Amino acid sequence: MRRSEEAQAFFHAVYLAVQEIPHGKVTTYGHIAHLVGTPQRARQVGMCLKHLPLDPEARFNSDNVPWQRVINSRGTISPRSVPEGTQVQATALRAEGVEVRRLALGELAVDFEVYGWFPEVLPSEAGQQ
DNA sequence: GCGGTGACTGAGC
DNA sequence: CGCTCAGCCACCG
């Protein structure tokens, strides 16, 4: 039942990239996909976060990976199967100083102009080439 | 093992 | 502006 090595590498890269997002900032699924070299796999980035382990013992888990800092390209918190999930994410973001506005249709939005983080290259990779 | 599903997105109407 | 559509591909039944 092991994931293919390639898939595992992808999950790994995504989690590392998400950990690079500074406290109090946000970015998009698509941008993370770009950073890990597969710009067309924004959807899979979402899956990586969806399946982020809760287990504190895991190499990557919901405590050491700031999953809440990833939102969609429209600047809103993506709806999910469990509606409460979006509220949990909004609360987590507000807890670190990010302003989350409620739009008319119940959408939860963050202003990229203020909180966006979109480097072309990961800080950890900068200066290595 | 196959097929539906989905924390996505940019393009095209 | 809003809606569909096609890629995307690991997960889960």
Side-chain angles (χ1 to χ4, degrees):
Chain A
M1 276 289 301
R2 297 177 57 244
R3 274 195 292 249
S4 72
E5 211 146 296
E6 186 181 307
Q8 207 162 31
F10 178 74
F11 269 65
H12 188 101
V14 166
Y15 293 144
L16 284 178
V18 172
Q19 289 182 319
E20 298 285 351
I21 307 172
H23 181 279
K25 294 286 184 176
V26 299
T27 193
T28 67
Y29 297 97
H31 192 68
I32 293 296
H34 270 281
L35 291 177
V36 302
T38 54
Q40 309 162 22
R41 300 180 62 182
R43 198 162 191 167
Q44 281 68 254
V45 169
M47 272 203 312
C48 288
L49 298 183
K50 177 178 183 180
H51 295 287
L52 185 60
L54 294 172
D55 180 11
E57 299 296 310
R59 167 75 156 42
F60 294 108
N61 59 63
S62 53
D63 285 326
N64 61 31
V65 177
W67 54 273
Q68 72 275 20
R69 297 176 194 155
V70 185
I71 62 181
N72 63 40
S73 66
R74 301 190 350 256
T76 67
I77 293 175
S78 293
R80 43 208 78 171
S81 47
V82 183
E84 299 84 357
T86 60
Q87 290 297 333
V88 173
Q89 186 169 359
T91 300
L93 284 175
R94 289 178 177 132
E96 54 182 77
V98 175
E99 181 186 346
V100 181
R101 322 187 312 276
R102 285 190 309 287
L103 300 186
L105 308 85
E107 293 278 272
L108 298 167
V110 173
D111 185 358
F112 284 138
E113 292 291 317
V114 179
Y115 306 101
W117 181 77
F118 301 99
E120 296 185 3
V121 180
L122 286 176
S124 59
E125 294 173 347
Q128 281 187 27
Q129 38 185 309

